[in-house]
């Protein structure tokens, strides 16, 4: 008990935040969770992650980047301090590859609607002035920071003017007594201002420091970099922004969140420059170029939860592109995909999901993801991986189960509960996944070695490996339901059951599959894996199973995507927005599932 109280007091003094007197709590789950006073908890309060549009969003060059991403403080309490967490590991591959690529940058928290206050001008200033000077002892002057907007109850300050910089000098004659604070304006005064004129400063800009230093460095293979705690006062539901300016030493640094421009929210932007400088304290021009965000993988908040209210446990989301929300679009809070939408702003979470990840990769690497969970409020892990292991790596169900067990054991040993998932269908379709009959299981693709005209009943391929009579065929110019009715292995010619509906150029690819699930070994492993998870997941260390396949697949048991809600998928791999919403509506993931605090 004595050690726990001492740890709380030390943490409180380091954070420079006041804690209410209270009785020391009993031990919490997980053991590393820190609780100050009675109801102050470190929890993940923002994890802005969209879905990358292409490989370009994973990779930055040595161009400096300035990004602003939107966060909203949680609905269940006031935030009195925050820390920013930047990841030094490759989310697409899970592993950490030590190589000479670094990101160097600055970060700040910006709350444009908070902390408005008045400072009275110290002296008159002529029209066209670019600075204002105050005695350093002027009331309120110490609260002025770069990035705040400025206005006046008289004339002289142009609309949109903001504080470009603040410098305090020392009094003449030596000593440490401050003399004058000089505020540089983004726009010169438009008319003379007078002494004692009221000047209104709005907005809250808090520069982040890392180990007491303004600049941070992130390297691959070094897990996570966390800022020092910043004292703030963010009431529940407050929008705030995290600005990050960073420069990359070379290509190949695949970090953080890179959603396409269409996933960006109001107030989010990216800006590019040619040299690194601390831009995070000054408003920048919105660009929304689609170049991708570079932002914290998590924002941790010291949340003051009202007494008598149980804060939900923090959740770490691990998984592939489906867990990241591919197929869905972001809502007003930036939540994308059925997992985030189910958690809403009521459950703290860190989303470390990324396309192409596997349970095998997490079991063999994954140190960075693990580092995100071992402190500050994560009590539960949503382990959605498995699909890419079975259907991309072609692993057996039994092998994937072993990898899931390894990952689950690691988190369970740290006091986390692990929730596992079933794997949804993966099919090809000739009609946009709108019917069951035109879905099939892809076995191979092959390119035409010569063009086929519209109305042709045959095509010549470059290779017929894995192509067989009876397979379904899909591609540009191929009618729905077309099958291979004959195959000449010598001339590499296939005969089609239905003539082509349009000309097909040489080099174009056709997909060949089977309408029979038994003909696809990968599909058989998927079904075996799902069956095992429904009946025996506890033996792998899973607290429970979130059976998404039960809502995404044809209820008749064909193993294909359900089609009663319209097009089920855009690519046969990721559920459509309607299917993401169907999981949310069914309540497969609920706040009550997670360890209360």
């Amino acid at each position: 008990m004595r050690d726990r109280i001492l740890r709380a007091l030390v943490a409180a003094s380091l954070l420079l935040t006041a804690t209410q007197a209270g009785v020391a709590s009993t031990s919490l789950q997980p053991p590393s969770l820190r609780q100050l006073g009675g109801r102050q908890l470190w929890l993940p309060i923002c994890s802005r992650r969209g879905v990358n549009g292409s490989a370009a969003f994973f990779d930055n060059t040595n161009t400096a980047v300035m990004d602003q991403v939107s966060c909203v403080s949680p609905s269940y309490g006031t935030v009195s301090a925050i820390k920013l967490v930047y990841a030094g590991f490759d989310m697409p591959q899970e592993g950490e590859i030590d190589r000479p690529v670094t990101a160097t940058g600055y970060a700040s928290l910006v709350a444009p609607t908070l902390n408005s206050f008045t400072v009275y001008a110290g002296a008159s200033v002529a029209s066209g002035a670019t600075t204002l000077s105050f005695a350093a002892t002027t009331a309120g002057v110490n609260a002025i920071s770069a990035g705040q907007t400025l206005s006046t109850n008289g004339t002289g300050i142009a609309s949109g003017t903001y504080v470009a910089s603040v410098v305090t000098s020392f009094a003449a004659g030596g000593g440490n007594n401050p003399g004058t604070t000089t505020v540089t304006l983004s726009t010169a005064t438009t008319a003379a201002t007078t002494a004692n004129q009221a000047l209104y400063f709005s907005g809250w800009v808090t520069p982040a420091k890392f180990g007491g230093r303004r600049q941070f460095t992130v390297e691959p293979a070094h897990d996570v970099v966390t800022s020092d705690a910043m004292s703030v006062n963010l009431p529940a539901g407050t929008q705030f922004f995290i600005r990050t300016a960073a420069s990359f030493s070379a290509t190949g640094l695949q970090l953080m969140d890179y959603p396409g421009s269409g996933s960006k929210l109001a107030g989010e932007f990216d800006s590019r420059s040619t040299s690194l400088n601390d831009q995070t304290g000054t408003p920048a021009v919105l660009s929304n170029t689609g170049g991708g965000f570079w932002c914290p993988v998590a924002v941790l908040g010291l949340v003051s939860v009202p007494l008598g209210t149980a804060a939900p446990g923090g959740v770490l989301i691990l998984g592939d592109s489906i867990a990241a929300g591919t197929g869905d679009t972001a809502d007003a809070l930036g939540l994308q995909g059925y997992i985030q939408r189910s958690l809403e702003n009521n459950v703290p979470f860190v989303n470390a999901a990324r396309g192409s990840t596997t349970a095998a990769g997490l079991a063999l690497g994954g140190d960075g993801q693990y580092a995100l969970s071992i402190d500050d409020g994560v009590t539960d892990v949503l382990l959605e991986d498995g699909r890419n292991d079975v259907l991309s790596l072609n692993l057996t169900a039994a092998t994937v189960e072993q990898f899931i067990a390894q990952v689950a054991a690691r988190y369970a040993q740290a006091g986390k509960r692990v929730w596992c998932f079933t794997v949804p269908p993966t099919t090809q379709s000739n009609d946009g996944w709108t019917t069951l009959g035109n879905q099939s299981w892809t076995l191979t693709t092959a390119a035409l070695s010569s063009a086929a005209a519209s109305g042709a009943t045959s095509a010549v391929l470059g290779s017929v490996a894995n192509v067989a009579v009876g397979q379904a065929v899909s591609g540009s110019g191929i009618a729905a339901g077309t099958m291979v009715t004959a195959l000449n292995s010598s001339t590499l010619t296939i005969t089609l059951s239905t003539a082509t509906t349009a000309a097909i150029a040489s080099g174009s690819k056709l997909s060949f599959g089977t309408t029979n699930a038994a003909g696809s070994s990968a599909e058989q492993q998927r079904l075996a894996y799902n069956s095992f998870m429904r009946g025996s997941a506890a033996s792998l260390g899973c607290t429970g199973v979130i059976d998404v396949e039960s809502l995404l697949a044809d209820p008749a048991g064909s193993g294909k995507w359900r089609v009663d809600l319209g097009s089920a998928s855009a690519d046969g791999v990721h559920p459509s927005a309607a299917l993401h919403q169907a999981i949310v509506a069914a309540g497969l993931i609920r706040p009550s599932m997670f360890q209360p605090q």
Side-chain angles (χ1 to χ4, degrees), residues 428 441-444 446 461 467 471-473 484 494 510-514:
Q428 70 179 53
W441 287 271
T442 300
L443 299 181
T444 189
L461 306 176
V467 177
Q471 288 180 338
V473 187
V484 178
I494 59 170
L510 301 181
S511 296
F512 298 86
T514 174

Side-chain angles (χ1 to χ4, degrees), residues 226-538:
T226 304
S227 75
D228 305 338
M230 293 178 278
S231 180
V232 297
N233 182 19
L234 301 173
T238 300
Q239 183 184 39
F240 64 98
F241 298 93
I242 302 299
R243 289 181 180 158
T244 306
S247 180
F248 302 87
S249 64
T251 60
L253 195 63
Q254 300 182 354
L255 300 177
M256 308 305 169
D257 171 65
Y258 293 93
S261 58
S263 296
K264 293 180 180 177
L265 307 179
E268 294 184 329
F269 64 86
D270 56 79
S271 177
R272 301 296 181 264
S273 61
T274 57
S275 62
L276 174 66
N277 56 73
D278 187 359
Q279 308 167 68
T280 63
T282 57
V285 176
L286 304 183
S287 61
N288 285 327
T289 62
F293 293 145
W294 207 82
C295 68
V297 68
V299 176
L300 305 176
L302 185 61
V303 184
S304 299
V305 181
L307 292 174
T309 301
V315 174
L316 174 65
I317 305 172
L318 300 178
D320 52 34
S321 54
I322 297 178
T326 299
D328 194 17
T329 55
D331 67 10
L333 293 177
L335 305 177
Q336 186 161 344
Y338 70 86
I339 294 180
Q340 291 192 32
R341 287 183 182 274
S342 296
L343 300 177
E344 293 186 317
N345 200 33
N346 300 316
V347 178
F349 67 86
V350 179
N351 192 348
R354 173 62 73 197
S356 302
T357 61
T358 61
L362 282 176
L364 300 175
D367 290 347
Q369 284 87 335
Y370 180 73
L372 293 174
S373 77
I374 60 175
D375 199 5
D376 297 318
V378 170
T379 62
D380 293 78
V381 177
L382 294 178
L383 179 56
E384 185 267 353
D385 278 311
R387 184 267 168 202
N388 291 323
D389 299 85
V390 174
L391 298 171
S392 296
L393 298 182
N394 294 316
L395 301 179
T396 65
T399 300
V400 181
E401 291 155 15
Q402 293 175 6
F403 285 131
I404 291 290
Q406 291 179 43
V407 177
R410 186 179 194 186
Y411 288 96
Q413 289 169 3
K416 320 297 178 187
R417 302 190 305 175
V418 180
W419 301 82
C420 301
F421 290 68
T422 54
V423 175
T426 295
T427 66
Q428 70 179 53
S429 173
N430 288 334
D431 59 6
W433 290 270
T434 57
T435 65
L436 294 173
N438 283 306
Q439 293 185 52
S440 60
W441 287 271
T442 300
L443 299 181
T444 189
T445 59
L448 273 64
S449 61
S450 59
S454 177
T457 57
S458 65
V460 180
L461 306 176
S463 170
V464 292
N466 297 321
V467 177
V469 173
Q471 288 180 338
V473 187
S474 63
S476 176
I478 301 296
T482 300
M483 309 288 289
V484 178
T485 58
L487 170 65
N488 187 322
S489 299
S490 298
T491 62
L492 307 182
T493 301
I494 59 170
T495 303
L496 305 174
S497 62
T498 305
T500 58
T501 58
I504 308 175
S506 176
S508 298
K509 291 184 178 181
L510 301 181
S511 296
F512 298 86
T514 174
T515 56
N516 180 4
S520 170
S521 59
E523 173 64 5
Q524 291 305 301
Q525 294 303 315
R526 184 186 75 87
L527 296 174
Y529 176 80
N530 286 347
S531 177
F532 181 89
M533 295 303 288
R534 291 186 181 107
S536 305

